[in-house]
Amino acid sequence: MENITASYLMRAELWLCITTLIYFLMNGAQIFETLVFVPKWTASPPDNFNLLLDGKGASLKNFWIVFHSIHEITFILAIVFCWKIDPVRNWLLILFAVHFAVRVWTLSFFAPNIIDFQKMAETPSLAKDLINRTSIWQTLNYIRVAIFIVVSLGLIPLCIRLFSLRH
């Protein structure tokens, strides 16, 4: 580690704590959505798909776009401000890589399927093999949320390690 000033360490602690806090808030929203909202719209496809529609249901598209954007900015800032602290930086990079991989999975699988489900709510004749599709989506969502939780839990030892550098 290079010479770390108290000011540098304070900024690193601040941004790592902010990203950890936001990650846990995001996990809370994901857990709520997974346990409360997802079972409602997957229970009777396509009848309940109207819950996904903007203006008619509880569309969470804008919420998740804003939340993930803020979180990813804070995560990158945590990496930037922890860059001189090798063990913290290295683990942050690993955790970010896992996080990024799950975000790519989200954008390539989960989001397109939600968009399809929304289309089916407006045009039920498009519905095909919905029980299987919604079941797979729901099961894979449990895995996705679990990975996000593991990543956020991985931030805790980094916070502890960072705070221990002061002493």
Side-chain angles (χ1 to χ4, degrees):
M1 272 191 317
E2 300 173 31
N3 290 335
I4 306 288
T5 66
S7 174
Y8 183 89
L9 190 56
M10 185 180 76
R11 284 191 307 271
E13 292 168 348
L14 175 69
W15 284 107
L16 184 56
C17 286
I18 288 171
T19 201
T20 302
L21 174 65
I22 290 175
Y23 219 128
F24 274 95
L25 290 171
M26 186 173 66
N27 285 338
Q30 288 174 333
I31 290 168
F32 173 81
E33 182 180 55
T34 297
L35 297 178
V36 176
F37 186 63
V38 171
K40 288 194 183 305
W41 68 259
T42 59
S44 182
D47 299 336
N48 290 349
F49 284 176
N50 62 344
L51 294 171
L52 302 171
L53 294 176
D54 292 329
K56 296 180 183 174
S59 174
L60 300 171
K61 177 179 66 177
N62 292 334
F63 170 80
W64 285 118
I65 289 170
V66 170
F67 212 150
H68 276 291
S69 298
I70 290 169
H71 175 260
E72 284 156 8
I73 289 166
T74 64
F75 206 140
I76 291 167
L77 286 169
I79 293 169
V80 167
F81 285 106
C82 292
W83 195 258
K84 293 181 184 178
I85 307 164
D86 295 343
V88 173
R89 176 196 63 221
N90 295 341
W91 277 105
L92 275 175
L93 290 171
I94 291 168
L95 292 172
F96 188 78
V98 172
H99 169 84
F100 187 78
V102 177
R103 290 289 290 133
V104 168
W105 184 31
T106 297
L107 295 172
S108 64
F109 174 77
F110 292 96
N113 275 288
I114 287 290
I115 291 167
D116 283 348
F117 297 150
Q118 287 171 328
K119 288 177 187 172
M120 287 177 214
E122 294 171 334
T123 313
S125 62
L126 297 174
K128 291 183 178 108
D129 196 26
L130 289 183
I131 301 296
N132 188 44
R133 282 185 67 193
T134 56
S135 176
I136 289 170
W137 193 100
Q138 189 172 19
T139 301
L140 292 176
N141 187 56
Y142 291 134
I143 295 167
R144 175 177 65 146
V145 171
I147 294 169
F148 278 135
I149 290 169
V150 168
V151 170
S152 64
L153 291 173
L155 294 170
I156 294 172
L158 299 180
C159 289
I160 293 168
R161 175 82 186 253
L162 197 55
F163 282 112
S164 71
L165 293 176
R166 280 191 185 257
H167 299 28

